Amino acid sequence: HDVLIRRMLDIMHNAALRGAELAIENPVPRGDPASSFFRPELADHLSLWDLDNIRAFSSMHFMLSVDFPQCAFPGSPYQKLTRLAYTAGLQPMLRRLHGLHCRHASHPSVAHGFTDGGQSHGRLSAQYPPAMAALLAQAFANVIYKECHHLSDSADKPTTCDSQCPC
């Protein structure tokens, strides 16, 4: 896992050097007894957010973070407490995640452990709820749009895309 994380951070760092916005998503850490997310039965699970290189990377790139339950999005049967760290350019869309709360008395499924048939709940819960996926896509699309369609000083109309614009 260490090699994969180092490679991910290298790719993201090089993208940031070229002006890209960044985001990292992973479950919230559950092992800190001082955290409101602490669960004794999950305390031995290592969190991505506990890794020194993830903390250093997030700090180096001035990443903001938000913790939220995926069940706040329609259609998610999982509470799945999630942390998203992201760079400031994504803030206009992703600030909507702040203040999301679980309002359910219970959930039909959990995002850890295994089903009676041996399937991983983690794997079954890996897909984002559609509204969450749409929000993340829109956050990055807005950045790309702003990069590609600079407003003209004289006419207040978008300029046309150049050959390097992905849209």
Side-chain angles (χ1 to χ4, degrees), residues 37 41 86-87 118-119 133 147:
F37 299 117
E41 69 274 17
Y86 56 92
T87 48
Q119 290 184 299
E147 289 290 320

Side-chain angles (χ1 to χ4, degrees), residues 139-151:
F140 282 99
N142 284 355
V143 171
I144 293 168
Y145 181 84
K146 287 177 185 175
E147 289 290 320
C148 291
H149 298 88
H150 300 287
L151 292 180

Side-chain angles (χ1 to χ4, degrees), residues 91-151:
Q91 175 74 357
M93 290 297 293
L94 297 184
R95 72 171 139 233
R96 298 164 193 210
L97 296 171
H98 293 268
L100 290 181
H101 299 286
C102 173
R103 303 200 190 292
H104 303 98
S106 65
H107 298 87
S109 300
V110 294
H112 60 86
F114 295 89
T115 67
D116 292 338
Q119 290 184 299
S120 164
H121 282 295
R123 182 177 296 257
L124 294 171
S125 68
Q127 185 174 347
Y128 293 153
M132 179 181 161
L135 178 64
L136 293 170
Q138 187 64 53
F140 282 99
N142 284 355
V143 171
I144 293 168
Y145 181 84
K146 287 177 185 175
E147 289 290 320
C148 291
H149 298 88
H150 300 287
L151 292 180

Side-chain angles (χ1 to χ4, degrees), residues 38-79:
F38 177 70
R39 295 265 308 269
E41 69 274 17
L42 300 176
D44 64 340
H45 291 107
L46 179 65
S47 170
L48 183 75
W49 308 110
D50 295 330
L51 301 177
D52 290 337
N53 54 354
I54 294 293
R55 289 179 179 178
F57 183 87
S58 296
S59 178
M60 177 192 326
H61 292 285
F62 304 101
M63 295 179 88
L64 308 163
S65 69
V66 60
D67 298 334
F68 61 95
Q70 289 190 22
C71 65
F73 290 97
S76 176
Y78 300 97
Q79 183 181 41

